[in-house]
Amino acid sequence: MIKEYIIQGMHCASCAMAVEMLLANQLGVKSAKVKFDDKKAVVEFDDFGKFNFNEVEKIIKQMGYSIREIK
C-alpha cells in the first residue's frame, strides 16, 4: 500500500531528509521519499498494518513540522 502526505514547515532539503529518515525507520514502512520542493511524502507500507500514524504525527510535530494525508 502506498500513501501520500503533505509535510508543512520544512525550510530546506535537509529538513526533508530528516523527515524521510524518520518515516523510513518506522515499523511497517517499506520505503519513504520526501520531496522538499512540493512538500510531499510518498510512503510505501508493508502488508502487516503495523504503522502508527498518530505516533509518527506526534514525532513530526515535535520536529516542528506538520503532516496530513492526501486522500
Short mmCIF file of all heavy atoms in Angstrom, two decimals:
data_model
loop_
_atom_site.label_atom_id
_atom_site.label_comp_id
_atom_site.label_asym_id
_atom_site.label_seq_id
_atom_site.Cartn_x
_atom_site.Cartn_y
_atom_site.Cartn_z
N MET A 1 0.85 -1.17 0.00
CA MET A 1 0.00 0.00 0.00
C MET A 1 0.90 1.24 0.00
O MET A 1 1.90 1.29 0.69
CB MET A 1 -0.90 0.01 1.24
CG MET A 1 -1.64 1.28 1.39
SD MET A 1 -2.71 1.52 2.87
CE MET A 1 -2.62 0.06 3.79
N ILE A 2 0.52 2.24 -0.78
CA ILE A 2 1.26 3.50 -0.86
C ILE A 2 0.32 4.63 -0.50
O ILE A 2 -0.81 4.69 -0.97
CB ILE A 2 1.83 3.72 -2.27
CG1 ILE A 2 2.86 2.62 -2.59
CG2 ILE A 2 2.45 5.10 -2.39
CD1 ILE A 2 3.40 2.66 -3.98
N LYS A 3 0.81 5.52 0.36
CA LYS A 3 0.05 6.71 0.73
C LYS A 3 0.91 7.95 0.53
O LYS A 3 2.14 7.88 0.61
CB LYS A 3 -0.40 6.64 2.19
CG LYS A 3 -1.46 5.59 2.45
CD LYS A 3 -2.02 5.71 3.84
CE LYS A 3 -3.13 4.71 4.06
NZ LYS A 3 -3.78 4.90 5.35
N GLU A 4 0.24 9.07 0.30
CA GLU A 4 0.94 10.34 0.14
C GLU A 4 0.53 11.30 1.25
O GLU A 4 -0.62 11.30 1.68
CB GLU A 4 0.62 10.96 -1.22
CG GLU A 4 1.17 10.16 -2.38
CD GLU A 4 0.92 10.84 -3.71
OE1 GLU A 4 0.14 11.82 -3.79
OE2 GLU A 4 1.52 10.39 -4.70
N TYR A 5 1.50 12.10 1.67
CA TYR A 5 1.28 13.05 2.76
C TYR A 5 1.85 14.41 2.37
O TYR A 5 2.82 14.49 1.61
CB TYR A 5 2.00 12.58 4.03
CG TYR A 5 1.53 11.24 4.52
CD1 TYR A 5 2.17 10.07 4.14
CD2 TYR A 5 0.44 11.13 5.38
CE1 TYR A 5 1.74 8.82 4.58
CE2 TYR A 5 0.00 9.88 5.82
CZ TYR A 5 0.66 8.74 5.42
OH TYR A 5 0.22 7.51 5.84
N ILE A 6 1.27 15.45 2.92
CA ILE A 6 1.82 16.80 2.81
C ILE A 6 2.54 17.09 4.12
O ILE A 6 1.98 16.88 5.20
CB ILE A 6 0.71 17.86 2.58
CG1 ILE A 6 0.04 17.64 1.22
CG2 ILE A 6 1.25 19.27 2.71
CD1 ILE A 6 0.93 17.93 0.03
N ILE A 7 3.78 17.58 4.01
CA ILE A 7 4.58 17.95 5.17
C ILE A 7 4.75 19.46 5.14
O ILE A 7 5.31 20.01 4.19
CB ILE A 7 5.98 17.29 5.15
CG1 ILE A 7 5.90 15.80 4.86
CG2 ILE A 7 6.74 17.61 6.42
CD1 ILE A 7 5.37 14.96 5.97
N GLN A 8 4.26 20.14 6.14
CA GLN A 8 4.37 21.60 6.23
C GLN A 8 5.48 21.98 7.21
O GLN A 8 5.67 21.28 8.20
CB GLN A 8 3.05 22.20 6.71
CG GLN A 8 1.88 21.97 5.78
CD GLN A 8 1.88 22.89 4.61
OE1 GLN A 8 2.12 24.08 4.73
NE2 GLN A 8 1.62 22.35 3.42
N GLY A 9 6.17 23.08 6.93
CA GLY A 9 7.14 23.61 7.86
C GLY A 9 8.59 23.32 7.52
O GLY A 9 9.50 23.78 8.21
N MET A 10 8.84 22.55 6.46
CA MET A 10 10.22 22.26 6.07
C MET A 10 10.82 23.50 5.41
O MET A 10 10.18 24.15 4.60
CB MET A 10 10.27 21.07 5.11
CG MET A 10 9.81 19.77 5.72
SD MET A 10 10.06 18.33 4.63
CE MET A 10 8.97 18.72 3.26
N HIS A 11 12.08 23.81 5.76
CA HIS A 11 12.74 25.01 5.25
C HIS A 11 13.85 24.72 4.26
O HIS A 11 14.36 25.63 3.63
CB HIS A 11 13.29 25.83 6.40
CG HIS A 11 12.25 26.27 7.38
ND1 HIS A 11 11.29 27.21 7.09
CD2 HIS A 11 11.98 25.85 8.64
CE1 HIS A 11 10.50 27.37 8.13
NE2 HIS A 11 10.88 26.56 9.08
N CYS A 12 14.26 23.44 4.15
CA CYS A 12 15.37 23.11 3.27
C CYS A 12 15.37 21.62 2.96
O CYS A 12 14.59 20.85 3.53
CB CYS A 12 16.70 23.50 3.92
SG CYS A 12 17.05 22.61 5.44
N ALA A 13 16.27 21.21 2.08
CA ALA A 13 16.38 19.81 1.71
C ALA A 13 16.81 18.94 2.89
O ALA A 13 16.43 17.78 2.98
CB ALA A 13 17.35 19.65 0.55
N SER A 14 17.57 19.50 3.81
CA SER A 14 17.98 18.75 4.99
C SER A 14 16.78 18.41 5.88
O SER A 14 16.73 17.34 6.48
CB SER A 14 19.01 19.53 5.81
OG SER A 14 20.21 19.64 5.08
N CYS A 15 15.83 19.31 5.95
CA CYS A 15 14.59 19.04 6.68
C CYS A 15 13.87 17.85 6.06
O CYS A 15 13.41 16.95 6.77
CB CYS A 15 13.66 20.25 6.64
SG CYS A 15 14.25 21.74 7.46
N ALA A 16 13.78 17.85 4.73
CA ALA A 16 13.11 16.76 4.03
C ALA A 16 13.83 15.44 4.28
O ALA A 16 13.19 14.41 4.49
CB ALA A 16 13.04 17.06 2.53
N MET A 17 15.16 15.46 4.29
CA MET A 17 15.93 14.24 4.56
C MET A 17 15.67 13.72 5.97
O MET A 17 15.56 12.51 6.18
CB MET A 17 17.41 14.49 4.35
CG MET A 17 17.80 14.56 2.90
SD MET A 17 19.58 14.69 2.67
CE MET A 17 20.12 13.12 3.31
N ALA A 18 15.57 14.63 6.94
CA ALA A 18 15.31 14.22 8.32
C ALA A 18 13.94 13.56 8.45
O ALA A 18 13.80 12.52 9.10
CB ALA A 18 15.40 15.43 9.26
N VAL A 19 12.93 14.13 7.80
CA VAL A 19 11.58 13.55 7.83
C VAL A 19 11.58 12.21 7.09
O VAL A 19 10.98 11.24 7.56
CB VAL A 19 10.54 14.53 7.23
CG1 VAL A 19 9.18 13.85 7.10
CG2 VAL A 19 10.44 15.78 8.09
N GLU A 20 12.27 12.15 5.96
CA GLU A 20 12.34 10.91 5.20
C GLU A 20 12.96 9.79 6.02
O GLU A 20 12.44 8.67 6.06
CB GLU A 20 13.15 11.14 3.92
CG GLU A 20 13.23 9.92 3.03
CD GLU A 20 13.92 10.22 1.73
OE1 GLU A 20 13.33 10.96 0.91
OE2 GLU A 20 15.05 9.73 1.53
N MET A 21 14.05 10.09 6.72
CA MET A 21 14.70 9.09 7.56
C MET A 21 13.78 8.64 8.68
O MET A 21 13.70 7.45 9.00
CB MET A 21 16.03 9.61 8.10
CG MET A 21 17.09 9.70 7.03
SD MET A 21 18.65 10.44 7.54
CE MET A 21 18.98 9.70 9.10
N LEU A 22 13.07 9.58 9.29
CA LEU A 22 12.14 9.24 10.35
C LEU A 22 11.06 8.30 9.84
O LEU A 22 10.79 7.26 10.44
CB LEU A 22 11.49 10.51 10.92
CG LEU A 22 10.34 10.24 11.88
CD1 LEU A 22 10.89 10.01 13.28
CD2 LEU A 22 9.33 11.33 11.86
N LEU A 23 10.46 8.64 8.71
CA LEU A 23 9.40 7.81 8.15
C LEU A 23 9.92 6.44 7.74
O LEU A 23 9.30 5.42 8.02
CB LEU A 23 8.76 8.51 6.94
CG LEU A 23 7.90 9.72 7.25
CD1 LEU A 23 7.54 10.46 5.97
CD2 LEU A 23 6.65 9.34 8.02
N ALA A 24 11.07 6.41 7.08
CA ALA A 24 11.63 5.15 6.58
C ALA A 24 11.96 4.17 7.70
O ALA A 24 11.95 2.96 7.49
CB ALA A 24 12.87 5.43 5.74
N ASN A 25 12.23 4.68 8.88
CA ASN A 25 12.62 3.83 10.00
C ASN A 25 11.46 3.41 10.90
O ASN A 25 11.68 2.80 11.94
CB ASN A 25 13.70 4.51 10.84
CG ASN A 25 15.02 4.54 10.10
OD1 ASN A 25 15.46 3.54 9.56
ND2 ASN A 25 15.64 5.70 10.06
N GLN A 26 10.24 3.72 10.49
CA GLN A 26 9.07 3.34 11.28
C GLN A 26 8.66 1.90 10.99
O GLN A 26 8.79 1.42 9.86
CB GLN A 26 7.89 4.27 10.99
CG GLN A 26 8.12 5.69 11.39
CD GLN A 26 8.45 5.84 12.86
OE1 GLN A 26 7.72 5.39 13.73
NE2 GLN A 26 9.57 6.49 13.14
N LEU A 27 8.15 1.25 12.00
CA LEU A 27 7.65 -0.11 11.86
C LEU A 27 6.52 -0.13 10.84
O LEU A 27 5.61 0.70 10.89
CB LEU A 27 7.14 -0.60 13.22
CG LEU A 27 6.72 -2.06 13.32
CD1 LEU A 27 7.93 -2.97 13.05
CD2 LEU A 27 6.18 -2.35 14.69
N GLY A 28 6.61 -1.04 9.89
CA GLY A 28 5.57 -1.17 8.88
C GLY A 28 5.83 -0.40 7.60
O GLY A 28 5.04 -0.47 6.66
N VAL A 29 6.94 0.35 7.53
CA VAL A 29 7.25 1.14 6.34
C VAL A 29 8.31 0.42 5.52
O VAL A 29 9.37 0.07 6.02
CB VAL A 29 7.74 2.56 6.73
CG1 VAL A 29 8.23 3.32 5.50
CG2 VAL A 29 6.62 3.32 7.42
N LYS A 30 8.02 0.20 4.23
CA LYS A 30 8.98 -0.39 3.31
C LYS A 30 9.94 0.67 2.78
O LYS A 30 11.13 0.45 2.67
CB LYS A 30 8.27 -1.03 2.12
CG LYS A 30 7.67 -2.36 2.36
CD LYS A 30 7.14 -2.89 1.03
CE LYS A 30 6.65 -4.29 1.13
NZ LYS A 30 6.14 -4.78 -0.16
N SER A 31 9.38 1.82 2.40
CA SER A 31 10.20 2.91 1.86
C SER A 31 9.47 4.23 2.04
O SER A 31 8.25 4.28 2.17
CB SER A 31 10.52 2.69 0.38
OG SER A 31 9.35 2.80 -0.40
N ALA A 32 10.26 5.30 2.04
CA ALA A 32 9.70 6.65 2.15
C ALA A 32 10.55 7.60 1.33
O ALA A 32 11.77 7.51 1.34
CB ALA A 32 9.66 7.10 3.60
N LYS A 33 9.89 8.49 0.62
CA LYS A 33 10.55 9.54 -0.15
C LYS A 33 9.88 10.85 0.18
O LYS A 33 8.66 10.97 0.11
CB LYS A 33 10.42 9.30 -1.67
CG LYS A 33 11.14 8.08 -2.15
CD LYS A 33 12.63 8.30 -2.16
CE LYS A 33 13.33 7.09 -2.72
NZ LYS A 33 14.74 7.12 -2.51
N VAL A 34 10.67 11.84 0.57
CA VAL A 34 10.14 13.16 0.90
C VAL A 34 10.79 14.16 -0.03
O VAL A 34 12.02 14.22 -0.13
CB VAL A 34 10.41 13.54 2.37
CG1 VAL A 34 9.88 14.94 2.66
CG2 VAL A 34 9.75 12.53 3.31
N LYS A 35 9.97 14.96 -0.72
CA LYS A 35 10.47 15.97 -1.64
C LYS A 35 10.25 17.35 -1.03
O LYS A 35 9.11 17.72 -0.75
CB LYS A 35 9.78 15.87 -2.99
CG LYS A 35 10.08 14.58 -3.72
CD LYS A 35 9.41 14.56 -5.06
CE LYS A 35 9.69 13.27 -5.78
NZ LYS A 35 9.06 13.22 -7.09
N PHE A 36 11.34 18.08 -0.86
CA PHE A 36 11.24 19.42 -0.29
C PHE A 36 10.46 20.35 -1.20
O PHE A 36 9.64 21.14 -0.74
CB PHE A 36 12.64 19.97 -0.02
CG PHE A 36 12.63 21.43 0.35
CD1 PHE A 36 12.10 21.84 1.56
CD2 PHE A 36 13.14 22.38 -0.52
CE1 PHE A 36 12.07 23.19 1.90
CE2 PHE A 36 13.13 23.72 -0.17
CZ PHE A 36 12.59 24.12 1.04
N ASP A 37 10.70 20.26 -2.51
CA ASP A 37 10.10 21.21 -3.46
C ASP A 37 8.58 21.23 -3.41
O ASP A 37 7.98 22.30 -3.46
CB ASP A 37 10.54 20.89 -4.89
CG ASP A 37 12.02 21.14 -5.10
OD1 ASP A 37 12.63 21.88 -4.30
OD2 ASP A 37 12.58 20.57 -6.06
N ASP A 38 7.96 20.05 -3.33
CA ASP A 38 6.49 20.03 -3.33
C ASP A 38 5.90 19.65 -1.97
O ASP A 38 4.70 19.44 -1.86
CB ASP A 38 5.94 19.15 -4.44
CG ASP A 38 6.38 17.70 -4.35
OD1 ASP A 38 7.06 17.34 -3.37
OD2 ASP A 38 6.04 16.93 -5.25
N LYS A 39 6.79 19.55 -0.95
CA LYS A 39 6.34 19.29 0.44
C LYS A 39 5.56 17.99 0.56
O LYS A 39 4.67 17.85 1.38
CB LYS A 39 5.49 20.44 0.98
CG LYS A 39 6.03 21.83 0.75
CD LYS A 39 7.30 22.07 1.52
CE LYS A 39 7.69 23.53 1.44
NZ LYS A 39 9.06 23.77 1.13
N LYS A 40 5.90 17.02 -0.27
CA LYS A 40 5.14 15.77 -0.33
C LYS A 40 5.99 14.59 0.12
O LYS A 40 7.17 14.51 -0.19
CB LYS A 40 4.65 15.53 -1.75
CG LYS A 40 3.66 14.39 -1.86
CD LYS A 40 3.24 14.15 -3.30
CE LYS A 40 2.37 15.28 -3.80
NZ LYS A 40 1.82 15.01 -5.14
N ALA A 41 5.36 13.68 0.84
CA ALA A 41 5.99 12.42 1.23
C ALA A 41 5.19 11.29 0.60
O ALA A 41 3.96 11.29 0.63
CB ALA A 41 6.00 12.27 2.74
N VAL A 42 5.91 10.33 0.03
CA VAL A 42 5.30 9.13 -0.53
C VAL A 42 5.84 7.96 0.29
O VAL A 42 7.05 7.75 0.34
CB VAL A 42 5.64 8.96 -2.02
CG1 VAL A 42 5.02 7.68 -2.56
CG2 VAL A 42 5.16 10.17 -2.82
N VAL A 43 4.94 7.25 0.94
CA VAL A 43 5.34 6.18 1.85
C VAL A 43 4.72 4.87 1.38
O VAL A 43 3.51 4.79 1.14
CB VAL A 43 4.88 6.49 3.29
CG1 VAL A 43 5.32 5.39 4.24
CG2 VAL A 43 5.42 7.85 3.75
N GLU A 44 5.58 3.86 1.25
CA GLU A 44 5.12 2.52 0.90
C GLU A 44 5.14 1.67 2.16
O GLU A 44 6.16 1.60 2.85
CB GLU A 44 6.02 1.89 -0.16
CG GLU A 44 5.55 0.52 -0.58
CD GLU A 44 6.43 -0.12 -1.63
OE1 GLU A 44 7.47 0.45 -2.00
OE2 GLU A 44 6.06 -1.22 -2.08
N PHE A 45 4.02 1.04 2.43
CA PHE A 45 3.86 0.23 3.65
C PHE A 45 3.92 -1.25 3.32
O PHE A 45 3.57 -1.67 2.23
CB PHE A 45 2.51 0.54 4.30
CG PHE A 45 2.37 1.97 4.71
CD1 PHE A 45 1.76 2.89 3.88
CD2 PHE A 45 2.86 2.40 5.93
CE1 PHE A 45 1.63 4.21 4.26
CE2 PHE A 45 2.74 3.72 6.32
CZ PHE A 45 2.12 4.63 5.47
N ASP A 46 4.31 -2.04 4.33
CA ASP A 46 4.22 -3.49 4.19
C ASP A 46 2.76 -3.90 4.36
O ASP A 46 1.90 -3.06 4.56
CB ASP A 46 5.14 -4.22 5.17
CG ASP A 46 4.78 -3.99 6.63
OD1 ASP A 46 3.62 -3.65 6.94
OD2 ASP A 46 5.67 -4.17 7.48
N ASP A 47 2.50 -5.17 4.28
CA ASP A 47 1.11 -5.65 4.34
C ASP A 47 0.65 -6.03 5.74
O ASP A 47 -0.40 -6.63 5.89
CB ASP A 47 0.97 -6.86 3.41
CG ASP A 47 1.21 -6.49 1.96
OD1 ASP A 47 0.89 -5.35 1.58
OD2 ASP A 47 1.72 -7.34 1.22
N PHE A 48 1.40 -5.66 6.75
CA PHE A 48 1.08 -6.12 8.11
C PHE A 48 0.36 -5.07 8.94
O PHE A 48 -0.06 -5.35 10.04
CB PHE A 48 2.35 -6.60 8.82
CG PHE A 48 3.04 -7.68 8.06
CD1 PHE A 48 4.26 -7.44 7.47
CD2 PHE A 48 2.46 -8.93 7.91
CE1 PHE A 48 4.90 -8.44 6.74
CE2 PHE A 48 3.09 -9.94 7.18
CZ PHE A 48 4.32 -9.68 6.60
N GLY A 49 0.25 -3.83 8.46
CA GLY A 49 -0.52 -2.80 9.13
C GLY A 49 0.00 -2.37 10.49
O GLY A 49 -0.79 -2.04 11.36
N LYS A 50 1.31 -2.36 10.68
CA LYS A 50 1.86 -2.01 11.99
C LYS A 50 2.25 -0.53 12.10
O LYS A 50 2.72 -0.10 13.13
CB LYS A 50 3.08 -2.87 12.29
CG LYS A 50 2.72 -4.33 12.43
CD LYS A 50 3.89 -5.15 12.85
CE LYS A 50 3.45 -6.60 13.00
NZ LYS A 50 4.45 -7.43 13.59
N PHE A 51 2.05 0.24 11.04
CA PHE A 51 2.38 1.66 11.05
C PHE A 51 1.41 2.40 11.96
O PHE A 51 0.20 2.24 11.86
CB PHE A 51 2.30 2.22 9.63
CG PHE A 51 2.65 3.67 9.52
CD1 PHE A 51 3.95 4.09 9.61
CD2 PHE A 51 1.67 4.62 9.30
CE1 PHE A 51 4.28 5.43 9.49
CE2 PHE A 51 1.98 5.96 9.16
CZ PHE A 51 3.29 6.36 9.26
N ASN A 52 1.94 3.23 12.85
CA ASN A 52 1.12 4.00 13.78
C ASN A 52 1.19 5.47 13.38
O ASN A 52 2.10 6.19 13.79
CB ASN A 52 1.62 3.79 15.21
CG ASN A 52 0.74 4.47 16.24
OD1 ASN A 52 0.02 5.43 15.94
ND2 ASN A 52 0.81 4.00 17.46
N PHE A 53 0.23 5.93 12.58
CA PHE A 53 0.25 7.30 12.08
C PHE A 53 0.22 8.31 13.21
O PHE A 53 0.92 9.31 13.16
CB PHE A 53 -0.93 7.56 11.12
CG PHE A 53 -0.94 8.99 10.63
CD1 PHE A 53 -0.09 9.38 9.62
CD2 PHE A 53 -1.78 9.93 11.20
CE1 PHE A 53 -0.08 10.71 9.18
CE2 PHE A 53 -1.78 11.25 10.77
CZ PHE A 53 -0.92 11.65 9.76
N ASN A 54 -0.56 8.07 14.25
CA ASN A 54 -0.66 9.03 15.35
C ASN A 54 0.69 9.24 16.04
O ASN A 54 1.04 10.37 16.40
CB ASN A 54 -1.71 8.58 16.37
CG ASN A 54 -3.11 8.63 15.80
OD1 ASN A 54 -3.39 9.43 14.92
ND2 ASN A 54 -3.96 7.77 16.26
N GLU A 55 1.45 8.17 16.21
CA GLU A 55 2.76 8.28 16.83
C GLU A 55 3.72 9.05 15.93
O GLU A 55 4.47 9.90 16.38
CB GLU A 55 3.33 6.89 17.15
CG GLU A 55 4.60 6.92 17.92
CD GLU A 55 4.48 7.54 19.31
OE1 GLU A 55 3.39 7.50 19.91
OE2 GLU A 55 5.49 8.09 19.78
N VAL A 56 3.69 8.75 14.64
CA VAL A 56 4.56 9.44 13.68
C VAL A 56 4.19 10.92 13.61
O VAL A 56 5.06 11.80 13.59
CB VAL A 56 4.48 8.77 12.30
CG1 VAL A 56 5.20 9.59 11.25
CG2 VAL A 56 5.06 7.37 12.37
N GLU A 57 2.90 11.21 13.59
CA GLU A 57 2.44 12.60 13.55
C GLU A 57 2.96 13.35 14.77
O GLU A 57 3.42 14.49 14.67
CB GLU A 57 0.92 12.65 13.50
CG GLU A 57 0.36 14.05 13.45
CD GLU A 57 -1.16 14.07 13.41
OE1 GLU A 57 -1.80 13.20 14.04
OE2 GLU A 57 -1.69 14.99 12.76
N LYS A 58 2.91 12.72 15.93
CA LYS A 58 3.40 13.34 17.16
C LYS A 58 4.90 13.65 17.07
O LYS A 58 5.34 14.75 17.41
CB LYS A 58 3.12 12.40 18.34
CG LYS A 58 3.46 12.97 19.70
CD LYS A 58 2.92 12.06 20.78
CE LYS A 58 4.07 11.39 21.50
NZ LYS A 58 3.63 10.51 22.58
N ILE A 59 5.67 12.70 16.56
CA ILE A 59 7.12 12.90 16.43
C ILE A 59 7.42 14.01 15.43
O ILE A 59 8.27 14.87 15.68
CB ILE A 59 7.80 11.58 16.00
CG1 ILE A 59 7.68 10.53 17.10
CG2 ILE A 59 9.27 11.82 15.66
CD1 ILE A 59 8.05 9.13 16.66
N ILE A 60 6.71 14.02 14.31
CA ILE A 60 6.93 15.05 13.30
C ILE A 60 6.57 16.43 13.84
O ILE A 60 7.27 17.41 13.59
CB ILE A 60 6.17 14.71 12.00
CG1 ILE A 60 6.90 13.55 11.32
CG2 ILE A 60 6.06 15.92 11.08
CD1 ILE A 60 6.27 13.05 10.06
N LYS A 61 5.51 16.52 14.63
CA LYS A 61 5.16 17.79 15.26
C LYS A 61 6.24 18.25 16.23
O LYS A 61 6.55 19.44 16.32
CB LYS A 61 3.81 17.69 15.98
CG LYS A 61 2.64 17.71 15.03
CD LYS A 61 1.32 17.67 15.77
CE LYS A 61 0.18 17.74 14.78
NZ LYS A 61 -1.13 17.72 15.43
N GLN A 62 6.85 17.30 16.95
CA GLN A 62 7.94 17.64 17.86
C GLN A 62 9.15 18.17 17.09
O GLN A 62 9.92 18.96 17.61
CB GLN A 62 8.35 16.42 18.70
CG GLN A 62 7.33 16.05 19.74
CD GLN A 62 7.65 14.74 20.44
OE1 GLN A 62 8.52 13.97 20.04
NE2 GLN A 62 6.91 14.46 21.51
N MET A 63 9.30 17.74 15.85
CA MET A 63 10.38 18.23 14.99
C MET A 63 10.07 19.62 14.45
O MET A 63 10.93 20.27 13.86
CB MET A 63 10.61 17.28 13.82
CG MET A 63 11.13 15.91 14.21
SD MET A 63 11.19 14.76 12.79
CE MET A 63 12.58 15.42 11.87
N GLY A 64 8.85 20.08 14.62
CA GLY A 64 8.46 21.42 14.16
C GLY A 64 7.70 21.43 12.85
O GLY A 64 7.50 22.49 12.25
N TYR A 65 7.27 20.27 12.38
CA TYR A 65 6.55 20.17 11.12
C TYR A 65 5.14 19.64 11.37
O TYR A 65 4.82 19.19 12.46
CB TYR A 65 7.26 19.20 10.16
CG TYR A 65 8.75 19.41 10.06
CD1 TYR A 65 9.63 18.38 10.36
CD2 TYR A 65 9.28 20.63 9.70
CE1 TYR A 65 11.00 18.56 10.28
CE2 TYR A 65 10.65 20.83 9.62
CZ TYR A 65 11.50 19.79 9.91
OH TYR A 65 12.85 19.97 9.85
N SER A 66 4.32 19.69 10.33
CA SER A 66 3.00 19.06 10.41
C SER A 66 2.86 18.11 9.23
O SER A 66 3.53 18.26 8.22
CB SER A 66 1.89 20.11 10.40
OG SER A 66 1.87 20.80 9.16
N ILE A 67 2.01 17.12 9.38
CA ILE A 67 1.80 16.12 8.35
C ILE A 67 0.30 15.85 8.25
O ILE A 67 -0.40 15.82 9.24
CB ILE A 67 2.57 14.82 8.67
CG1 ILE A 67 2.42 13.79 7.56
CG2 ILE A 67 2.17 14.26 10.02
CD1 ILE A 67 3.31 12.56 7.71
N ARG A 68 -0.15 15.69 6.98
CA ARG A 68 -1.54 15.29 6.77
C ARG A 68 -1.58 14.42 5.52
O ARG A 68 -0.83 14.64 4.57
CB ARG A 68 -2.47 16.46 6.66
CG ARG A 68 -2.33 17.30 5.45
CD ARG A 68 -3.40 18.38 5.36
NE ARG A 68 -3.11 19.32 4.31
CZ ARG A 68 -3.39 19.11 3.02
NH1 ARG A 68 -3.98 18.02 2.64
NH2 ARG A 68 -3.07 20.02 2.11
N GLU A 69 -2.46 13.44 5.58
CA GLU A 69 -2.60 12.51 4.46
C GLU A 69 -3.34 13.17 3.31
O GLU A 69 -4.31 13.91 3.52
CB GLU A 69 -3.34 11.25 4.91
CG GLU A 69 -3.42 10.20 3.84
CD GLU A 69 -4.11 8.93 4.29
OE1 GLU A 69 -4.37 8.75 5.49
OE2 GLU A 69 -4.40 8.11 3.41
N ILE A 70 -2.88 12.91 2.11
CA ILE A 70 -3.59 13.32 0.90
C ILE A 70 -4.55 12.20 0.56
O ILE A 70 -4.13 11.07 0.36
CB ILE A 70 -2.62 13.55 -0.28
CG1 ILE A 70 -1.60 14.63 0.07
CG2 ILE A 70 -3.40 13.90 -1.54
CD1 ILE A 70 -0.49 14.76 -0.95
N LYS A 71 -5.83 12.49 0.54
CA LYS A 71 -6.82 11.43 0.30
C LYS A 71 -7.21 11.41 -1.15
O LYS A 71 -7.19 12.30 -1.86
CB LYS A 71 -8.05 11.67 1.17
CG LYS A 71 -7.64 11.70 2.62
CD LYS A 71 -8.47 10.80 3.42
CE LYS A 71 -7.94 10.87 4.84
NZ LYS A 71 -8.45 9.99 5.72
#
